């Protein structure tokens, strides 16, 4: 089984989760945050992290009950053959969340970068590299994630340093000027665009080391990264940030130090490489779920079909405004993340506790 053959450290795993989270965060805008006040979005991020810790509790409980089994295997141990629906639901979730993320990147290429080369070819190449990584195994993806993590910190750190000179406190807006609606919508958005909890449910049995400590380091580091990013957006761009579909890209374009004037190109490269890590990690989780579903090694055709479904959703999101509205809908993704990330593990954990009490 995949869970026996492949092992990574807890730091490697949560570095993958950080990269996956950061790469989606750089697509934030006022439309989905529910308002133009970026300072309120910092509070939303903090609330999302606290709720994320609560969502993760049943995952830790389930992992303690079945330390060597993925959520799909644990479901079949707890529910019998009916438990096969669990890995299937996780596969569908990963296809949805990654189709949404890749579609968002495709929209960015078409609307903002407008490259001379084919954007379709670009996202297909990104997906192809991610599929190859998923075929190679979780260790390969984890090692690549460490490299991307270093590049991400260096590039964003340099960008943050350069644009900080443009920070103007007068651009900051008062909190809760229009009530709490934006805060709540932003909280839902931050939770909706992360597959970390589903990844934990599937992949934690493959992780060695002090997982809980690494989890809290991930939560704190992610909050710090996003908070600094939002603070710079608020202080450097002010109300102008709310008029942009991808304000973080605009922020990266503000660098004005000779050869570093094109940091926006670095931004595109970082997003692309981070997207590869996110897709590869989630597709590998699909591979593990396929293995749980069939009881044997995942066939290559199954993973190929999952990647084709992700590409199809991404293209559908850019081809149809109605599809874009549905696939990027915060309510849909939030509900799926909470149910799959926390709800399913909670049910399985409760069942495992009841079975233990009955001596089964």
């Amino acid at each position: 089984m995949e869970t026996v053959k492949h092992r990574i450290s807890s730091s490697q795993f949560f570095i993958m989760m950080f990269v996956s989270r950061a790469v989606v965060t750089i697509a934030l805008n006022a439309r989905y945050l529910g308002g133009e006040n970026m300072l309120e979005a910092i509070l939303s991020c903090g609330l999302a992290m606290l709720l994320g810790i609560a969502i993760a509790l049943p995952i830790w409980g389930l992992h303690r009950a079945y330390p060597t089994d993925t959520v799909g295997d644990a479901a079949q141990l707890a529910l019998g053959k009916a438990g096969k629906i669990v890995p299937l639901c996780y596969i569908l979730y990963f296809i949805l969340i990654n189709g949404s993320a890749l579609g968002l990147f495709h929209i960015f290429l078409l609307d903002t970068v407008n490259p001379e080369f084919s954007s379709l070819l670009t996202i297909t190449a990104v997906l192809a590299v991610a599929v190859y990584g998923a075929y190679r195994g979780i260790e390969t993806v984890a090692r690549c994630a460490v490299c991307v993590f270093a590049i991400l910190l260096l590039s964003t750190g340099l960008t943050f340093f350069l644009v900080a000179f443009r920070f103007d406190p007068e651009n900051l807006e008062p909190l809760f000027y229009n009530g709490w609606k934006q805060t709540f919508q932003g909280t839902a958005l931050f939770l909706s665009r992360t597959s970390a909890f589903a990844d934990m449910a599937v992949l934690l049995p493959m992780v060695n080391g002090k997982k809980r400590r690494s989890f809290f380091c991930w939560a704190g580091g992610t909050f710090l990264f996003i908070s600094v990013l939002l603070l710079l957006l608020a202080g450097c761009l002010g109300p102008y940030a709310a008029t942009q579909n991808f304000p973080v890209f605009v922020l990266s374009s503000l660098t004005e130090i000779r050869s570093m004037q094109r940091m926006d190109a670095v931004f595109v490269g970082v997003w692309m490489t981070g997207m590869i890590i996110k897709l590869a990690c989630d597709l590998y989780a699909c591979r593990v779920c396929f293995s749980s579903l069939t009881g044997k090694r995942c066939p290559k055709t199954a993973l190929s079909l999952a990647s084709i479904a992700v590409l199809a959703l991404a293209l559908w999101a850019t081809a149809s405004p109605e599809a874009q509205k549905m696939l990027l809908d915060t309510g849909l993704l939030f509900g799926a993340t909470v149910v799959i990330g926390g709800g399913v593990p909670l049910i399985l954990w409760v069942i495992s506790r009841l079975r233990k009490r009955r001596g089964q």
Side-chain angles (χ1 to χ4, degrees):
M1 296 292 291
E2 308 286 353
T3 56
V4 175
K5 290 186 177 182
H6 304 286
R7 312 288 298 188
I8 59 175
S9 69
S10 59
S11 59
Q12 286 178 314
F13 177 76
F14 284 104
I15 281 175
M16 284 196 302
M17 297 300 99
F18 179 88
V19 172
S20 298
R21 189 68 189 86
V23 76
V24 180
T25 299
I26 57 183
L28 292 175
N29 60 31
R31 173 187 174 187
Y32 292 107
L33 283 171
E36 62 181 31
N37 194 332
M38 296 299 172
L39 287 182
E40 283 191 37
I42 296 176
L43 179 60
S44 297
C45 180
L47 291 174
M49 284 300 169
L50 292 176
L51 289 175
I53 293 173
I55 291 173
L57 289 177
I59 300 175
W60 293 116
L62 184 66
H63 180 56
R64 186 175 180 179
Y66 301 97
T68 61
D69 297 303
T70 69
V71 67
D73 295 331
Q76 292 175 68
L77 290 173
L79 302 174
K81 291 184 178 180
K84 287 184 178 292
I85 194 174
V86 170
L88 178 60
C89 289
Y90 273 80
I91 291 170
L92 295 176
Y93 170 76
F94 285 124
I95 291 173
L96 171 64
I97 200 76
N98 285 280
S100 171
L102 189 61
L104 196 60
F105 179 63
H106 194 204
I107 292 169
F108 165 72
L109 290 177
L110 291 173
D111 291 354
T112 304
V113 178
N114 194 22
E116 296 180 359
F117 51 86
S118 171
S119 59
L120 172 59
L121 182 61
T122 301
I123 65 169
T124 302
V126 166
L127 185 58
V129 174
V131 171
Y132 176 73
Y135 279 139
R136 293 289 297 174
I138 193 66
E139 304 100 324
T140 300
V141 180
R143 286 194 293 267
C144 292
V146 173
C147 297
V148 174
F149 174 72
I151 295 171
L152 175 67
L153 289 187
L154 288 173
S155 59
T156 54
L158 179 59
T159 302
F160 290 171
F161 173 76
L162 294 175
V163 300
F165 292 101
R166 289 176 170 266
F167 188 89
D168 185 355
E170 293 184 0
N171 287 329
L172 303 180
E173 301 179 41
L175 296 175
F176 315 123
Y177 184 77
N178 296 312
W180 288 80
K181 182 179 179 181
Q182 178 184 335
T183 302
F184 295 142
Q185 184 168 332
T187 300
L189 177 69
F190 282 114
L191 281 174
S192 69
R193 290 189 178 179
T194 177
S195 57
F197 306 112
D199 285 320
M200 288 171 60
V202 175
L203 300 178
L204 273 183
M206 306 177 190
V207 178
N208 296 323
K210 298 179 179 179
K211 305 169 191 176
R212 287 177 178 81
R213 185 178 70 178
S214 296
F215 170 77
F216 283 106
C217 287
W218 165 78
T222 302
F223 173 70
L224 179 62
F225 175 85
I226 297 175
S227 296
V228 173
L229 176 62
L230 291 169
L231 182 62
L232 289 174
L233 283 175
C236 297
L237 300 182
Y240 180 66
T243 67
Q244 302 299 306
N245 287 331
F246 299 95
V248 182
F249 178 75
V250 176
L251 185 71
S252 69
S253 304
L254 295 180
T255 55
E256 294 183 355
I257 299 184
R258 297 181 181 178
S259 61
M260 295 182 183
Q261 288 180 346
R262 298 305 300 172
M263 285 297 291
D264 51 344
V266 176
F267 171 86
V268 177
V270 168
W271 193 351
M272 189 178 299
T273 53
M275 184 61 65
I276 290 173
I277 297 301
K278 174 175 175 55
L279 291 169
C281 180
D282 288 353
L283 286 173
Y284 183 80
C286 281
R287 172 179 167 179
V288 174
C289 290
F290 275 122
S291 182
S292 297
L293 191 61
T294 61
K296 55 185 180 181
R297 190 176 179 84
C298 171
K300 292 183 178 181
T301 52
L303 193 54
S304 298
L305 289 174
S307 63
I308 291 172
V310 169
L311 181 60
L313 285 181
L315 295 178
W316 188 36
T318 54
S320 168
E322 291 77 15
Q324 182 180 140
K325 183 178 179 180
M326 182 183 74
L327 292 175
L328 299 180
D329 179 64
T330 299
L332 171 65
L333 298 177
F334 174 76
T337 297
V338 171
V339 171
I340 297 298
V344 172
L346 176 61
I347 293 171
L348 296 177
W349 179 48
V350 170
I351 292 174
S352 71
R353 297 285 295 177
L354 293 176
R355 288 170 62 91
K356 186 176 180 179
R357 288 183 181 179
R358 295 172 182 174
Q360 296 180 358

